[in-house]
Amino acid sequence: MTANAAVAIAHANIALSKYWGKREGSGNYPAVPSLSVTLAGLATRTRVTFDGAAENDAFTLDGQVAAPAARARVVEMLDRVRRATGETRRARVESSNDFPTASGLASSASGFAALAVAAARAAGLDWDAARLSDLARQSSASAARSLFGGFVELPAGPPMPDGSETLSARPVAPPGHLPLVVFVCVTTEGPKALGSSEGMRKTMAESPFARAWLDEAPRLHARLRGALLASDFLELGELAEASAFAMHASALAAGVVYWTGATIDVLAAVRGLRAAGVRAYATIDAGPHVKVLARHEDAPAIGAALRDCPAVRRVIEARPGEGASLAGGEGGAE
Ligand code: DP6
């Protein structure tokens, strides 16, 4: 029997070596490789129901009808699933985040990973994680990584070594590989000014440092991957900071500014910790928040210092977690 409904859960991920910039042309292929850690917190739960009586696809997020632009990206993925199966029914997509959606914390990665898993299953597809990762990537490249748990990499786009057009993320190390804690320091509430797709498009088109970033990112990625596999936290932290700073330097030079004063204050707090001999490292995505990397043993001191920092409104403490999965048993249907 073809399932009509399925529910999936996926978690956000934080890139340690950043994806910033796409290959030219269609298909949403990243121009550089990236490596992330999937977090146990920050989850999206999505139910997809293909309904013969529905006239249009409908998308609600945290119980509210989503904005047209957000709905359009959901419909694009549903269309890909419909093309793969011959499914013609419209779908109801009900999504909820267990973190404040409007906080500007990245939610597209967990959102599109959960949607890929739920939509494919609801349409009767039994795709493996690699194929679902490729499906998620076409909507949002960082979402490809949330299909897998622990430490995950997404290679750069074509030409692919095997000549194929699919591009999936792949696990590099399991969640327990490093005793890592990620402190998500929320600096401002409210949605971010410029989405990452537009931010990277502007960077590639206008930044005098775009070429420097595209050349440097794969080198940083390779070194960071090596540091991860060697369980060298200090090297990993240095390289994660270097990747974030290089990405933001290229963006800044195109007038793409995600930082606020609070972002810089948290960066100063992290440097202050390091000056005092405490090993904390920072990374920043397409928004004002700072994510701080720590080892388990240093986490209490680092967490306390970050909570004391006036620029920090809230701290979410997260650890490496599992990849996306169906909820509510085997079929994901509830
Ligand atoms: C800064 O995956 O949101 O978080 O593929 O256009 O949807 P699209 O971009 P997205 O970009 C994420 C950028 C980043 C770095 C990263 O996660 O690697």
Side-chain angles (χ1 to χ4, degrees):
M1 188 190 83
T2 306
N4 292 317
V7 182
I9 294 174
H11 299 97
N13 69 74
I14 302 291
L16 303 174
S17 76
K18 302 293 186 194
Y19 147 54
W20 196 250
K22 299 173 196 281
R23 289 276 195 248
E24 279 179 23
S26 60
N28 203 39
Y29 294 101
V32 296
S34 57
L35 195 154
S36 59
V37 56
T38 303
L39 300 176
L42 305 175
T44 301
R45 180 186 179 88
T46 297
R47 176 195 300 269
V48 175
T49 311
F50 284 102
D51 180 353
E55 287 188 8
N56 282 307
D57 292 318
F59 174 39
T60 59
L61 184 55
D62 294 329
Q64 309 284 319
V65 174
R71 178 181 170 279
R73 288 180 80 181
V74 166
V75 171
E76 273 175 28
M77 183 182 286
L78 292 170
D79 284 342
R80 275 183 214 112
V81 170
R82 279 189 283 250
R83 278 197 294 277
T85 55
E87 172 66 71
T88 54
R89 289 171 296 175
R90 302 293 106 182
R92 217 168 34 250
V93 176
E94 298 150 281
S95 232
S96 58
N97 290 327
D98 72 357
F99 52 94
T101 306
S103 68
L105 290 171
S107 56
S108 70
S110 54
F112 284 112
L115 179 63
V117 174
R121 176 53 67 99
L125 293 168
D126 193 18
W127 284 359
D128 64 11
R131 199 129 181 229
L132 292 167
S133 172
D134 178 62
L135 176 66
R137 176 196 51 77
Q138 294 171 59
S139 292
S140 186
S142 58
R145 301 184 308 235
S146 278
L147 260 294
F148 300 96
F151 299 85
V152 183
E153 79 179 335
L154 178 64
M160 260 80 87
D162 61 359
S164 76
E165 289 185 357
T166 58
L167 178 69
S168 308
R170 54 191 179 217
V172 175
H177 176 75
L178 258 194
L180 188 72
V181 176
V182 179
F183 292 100
V184 179
C185 300
V186 178
T187 54
T188 45
E189 309 287 348
K192 64 187 173 199
L194 189 67
S196 31
S197 307
E198 179 55 15
M200 58 181 94
R201 191 205 57 73
K202 198 165 153 54
T203 305
M204 293 304 124
E206 297 172 24
S207 175
F209 303 140
R211 186 70 258 162
W213 160 253
L214 293 171
D215 290 343
E216 183 61 12
R219 290 195 284 266
L220 285 169
H221 172 82
R223 290 175 59 202
L224 187 137
R225 190 181 199 282
L228 172 70
L229 292 175
S231 300
D232 185 341
F233 173 77
L234 303 188
E235 179 78 356
L236 180 92
E238 299 276 353
L239 290 163
E241 267 198 18
S243 175
F245 283 134
M247 172 204 135
H248 283 276
S250 71
L252 279 164
V256 176
V257 184
Y258 289 110
W259 298 10
T260 62
T263 310
I264 293 171
D265 288 348
V266 184
L267 290 175
V270 170
R271 275 166 200 270
L273 280 164
R274 279 216 297 278
V278 183
R279 297 302 180 173
Y281 296 93
T283 184
I284 308 157
D285 291 308
H289 313 299
V290 181
K291 289 95 182 195
V292 179
L293 311 174
R295 283 180 297 204
H296 283 187
E297 67 218 64
D298 301 322
I302 293 172
L306 294 171
R307 284 184 193 93
D308 272 356
C309 179
V312 176
R313 292 198 175 202
R314 279 180 307 125
V315 177
I316 302 168
E317 187 171 336
R319 294 182 182 220
E322 300 299 332
S325 61
L326 288 162
E330 262 297 278
E334 287 190 327

